[in-house]
Amino acid sequence: MISAFDLFKIGIGPSSSHTVGPMRAAQAFVTSLAGSGLLGRTARIEARLYGSLAWTGRGHGTDKAVVLGLAGQLPDTVDPDEADGLVERLATDKRLTLPDGSAIDFDPTVDVVFDYEGQTPVHPNTLRFAALDVSGETLLMEIWYSVGGGFVLRDGDTQGAGADDVRLPFPYRSGAELLGMGLSSGRSIAEIVYANECARRPKAEVDRHITGVAQSMFACIDRGIRTGGELPGGLRVKRRAKALAERLAADRERNIRPPHEVMDWVSLYAIAVNEENASGGRVVTAPTNGAAGVVPSVLRYYRDHCPDATDEGVRVFLLTATAIGGLFKMNASISGAEVGCQGEVGVACSMASAGLCAALGGSNAQIENAAEIGMEHHLGMTCDPIGGLVQIPCIERNAFGAIKAINAASLALRGDGTHKVSLDSVIRTMRETGRDMGSKYKETSQGGLAVNVPEC
């Protein structure tokens, strides 16, 4: 089962699969090295990046993330404002401090290798770490996969490795099972997810996490709205959220309130989050960094624009979104490098539409319908970032995903929950579509807008 603690991770931008995952994998490798008793013999560490991590890793800051991870940093605790300085100092000193306090020679330009030729038979986001002694002999080697949403898996481990042994009260694996358990228990989807979460952790810890996720999402929107300037990376993309917010506020003061005004506010919220993500700021994976703006913007829409919004509604929204995101993660993928952007913005839209439908009082059947609509109209969406940066078309794509989510929830609430295409069918279709999609459309920047729009 996928927990809210797994799905909603607080980390840094610009990418969950290219930044958050590699940082976690690198930190896990040095932890393994320390546990093996080989630190004293280690003279050099090499990290090799393959597949999508090689092709778009520079634009996504994968090399920076690996360096931070090898230095012992983790995405949820590293200070985004100090991360660049730490990487620059290490690059200048060319020394890496190991967990036991000793230091070895380490040059990121040499020891972090972008391997464009290596094969990736297991997953397109593959990393290989090796610790070498003074003679160049390998002391320890590990292969890791960054499988989307900040999730990482070491080669040889199973998907369930490290999972707890708790017997969950509602062990659903599909949308049909989730609906069936709701009918038999009389519980809402949010209540089912909450019962599972509380079987794993103390209730107070679960409540703190849900509250913390919501607060972090809202804080990210606010930071994005306050901050102007230009995004890093070379495309010279100007941040728009601050100016957009100022124009919307000015229109309100002049009593200019067009019917579509709320759409502009929702777009603003999503753009603010994804500009923060593109700049390497603090964001919440939802379910990924590249799609981090959809769920927060729709949640903010619920809180600030729906008349009967409550704190309980925010909680219900996030718990329900957890169930939907978990179904996609378990039965398909949330990795753009594996299935394209349908697995990122598409899944985020499905999660947000279900969450909003639940917060507005929808039944379980209506919630499942909303989630299905949200994904159905993202099927086949490619991941083709220009310059390998999570900026164009990623930022605006989140805004449109958020608008679609609100529309999907509204359509579902107008119905009675009955519909022809099930959520499970859409999840299966998304997985198959991703399998058929050419690799150049899956976060390699070798197709689509990435090659048809000049970077200058």
Side-chain angles (χ1 to χ4, degrees):
M1 298 300 297
I2 307 299
S3 166
F5 288 76
D6 300 321
L7 205 60
F8 295 119
K9 302 184 187 74
I10 299 172
I12 62 172
S15 171
S16 49
S17 61
H18 285 56
T19 308
V20 176
M23 193 187 305
R24 293 181 64 206
Q27 193 274 343
F29 175 73
V30 293
T31 300
S32 294
L33 188 61
S36 68
L38 296 170
L39 288 176
R41 296 172 55 195
T42 300
R44 179 173 169 242
I45 292 178
E46 180 190 80
R48 298 185 75 87
L49 313 176
Y50 300 93
S52 175
L53 295 181
W55 287 105
T56 61
R58 295 190 192 279
H60 286 67
T62 306
D63 47 350
K64 167 185 167 182
V66 167
V67 169
L68 288 169
L70 293 176
Q73 300 292 326
L74 284 170
D76 56 337
T77 55
V78 64
D79 186 338
D81 296 326
E82 296 182 0
D84 285 338
L86 192 158
V87 172
E88 289 170 6
R89 286 194 301 274
L90 195 150
T92 299
D93 297 340
K94 294 182 172 52
R95 299 284 287 173
L96 175 69
T97 301
L98 299 176
D100 64 354
S102 63
I104 60 172
D105 292 336
F106 183 81
D107 183 349
T109 62
V110 175
D111 296 320
V112 180
V113 181
F114 291 85
D115 190 328
Y116 303 100
E117 304 298 329
Q119 299 301 302
T120 57
V122 176
H123 194 279
N125 291 334
T126 299
L127 309 92
R128 190 192 74 179
F129 299 100
L132 311 173
D133 65 15
V134 291
S135 65
E137 292 294 319
T138 300
L139 299 172
L140 179 67
M141 190 271 287
E142 291 182 354
I143 294 174
W144 286 79
Y145 310 110
S146 181
V147 296
F151 290 85
V152 291
L153 182 69
R154 180 169 44 198
D155 187 57
D157 291 345
T158 65
Q159 289 287 352
D164 54 42
D165 296 323
V166 174
R167 186 178 180 85
L168 299 178
F170 299 102
Y172 61 87
R173 298 286 301 182
S174 68
E177 288 181 351
L178 181 60
L179 289 176
M181 290 176 184
L183 282 173
S184 61
S185 68
R187 299 193 187 206
S188 68
I189 290 175
E191 290 169 339
I192 287 172
V193 173
Y194 190 63
N196 282 347
E197 297 289 350
C198 291
R200 284 174 160 156
R201 296 176 174 86
K203 177 178 178 295
E205 184 180 350
V206 175
D207 292 340
R208 280 196 303 272
H209 181 71
I210 296 299
T211 299
V213 164
Q215 291 174 343
S216 295
M217 287 179 171
F218 295 144
C220 185
I221 292 172
D222 293 336
R223 286 196 309 273
I225 289 174
R226 290 195 305 267
T227 308
E230 192 175 277
L231 296 174
L235 290 182
R236 307 297 304 273
V237 174
K238 292 183 178 179
R239 296 177 69 137
R240 290 182 290 173
K242 182 178 180 181
L244 180 57
E246 290 169 351
R247 293 191 195 101
L248 285 168
D251 284 350
R252 278 191 168 182
E253 290 177 1
R254 295 160 55 200
N255 202 30
I256 299 175
R257 307 292 292 274
H260 63 269
E261 178 197 29
V262 70
M263 294 171 59
D264 293 335
W265 282 103
V266 173
S267 296
L268 163 66
Y269 303 146
I271 288 169
V273 171
N274 284 88
E275 287 180 346
E276 276 295 292
N277 179 62
S279 66
R282 178 77 66 202
V283 297
V284 180
T285 60
T288 67
N289 281 31
V294 178
V295 170
S297 59
V298 178
L299 186 63
R300 183 70 163 252
Y301 162 79
Y302 167 74
R303 193 196 73 174
D304 290 2
H305 300 273
C306 294
D308 299 322
T310 63
D311 290 341
E312 175 62 15
V314 170
R315 176 178 165 278
V316 166
F317 185 116
L318 290 174
L319 288 168
T320 304
T322 296
I324 304 306
L327 289 175
F328 279 99
K329 172 64 179 169
M330 287 187 288
N331 298 301
S333 174
I334 57 172
S335 169
E338 196 169 19
V339 294
C341 199
Q342 58 174 356
E344 298 203 27
V345 169
V347 173
C349 176
S350 186
M351 292 168 61
S353 57
L356 179 61
C357 184
L360 293 177
S363 66
N364 286 353
Q366 289 172 317
I367 292 165
E368 187 262 358
N369 189 15
E372 180 274 323
I373 295 171
M375 171 51 75
E376 183 178 342
H377 303 290
H378 281 90
L379 289 173
M381 179 175 280
T382 60
C383 182
D384 50 354
I386 296 175
L389 298 167
V390 193
Q391 297 177 16
I392 305 172
C394 318
I395 295 172
E396 285 184 354
R397 190 168 281 174
N398 275 257
F400 279 82
I403 297 297
K404 284 185 179 182
I406 295 171
N407 193 18
S410 180
L411 285 172
L413 286 166
R414 296 289 184 185
D416 62 3
T418 59
H419 53 108
K420 296 290 186 182
V421 180
S422 69
L423 176 60
D424 290 331
S425 296
V426 167
I427 293 174
R428 183 167 56 253
T429 303
M430 188 270 273
R431 183 185 68 236
E432 294 170 353
T433 302
R435 185 185 301 123
D436 294 339
M437 190 182 293
S439 62
K440 67 180 182 179
Y441 297 115
K442 294 191 282 191
E443 211 168 359
T444 61
S445 290
Q446 294 179 293
L449 286 176
V451 298
N452 286 314
V453 177
E455 294 180 21
C456 58

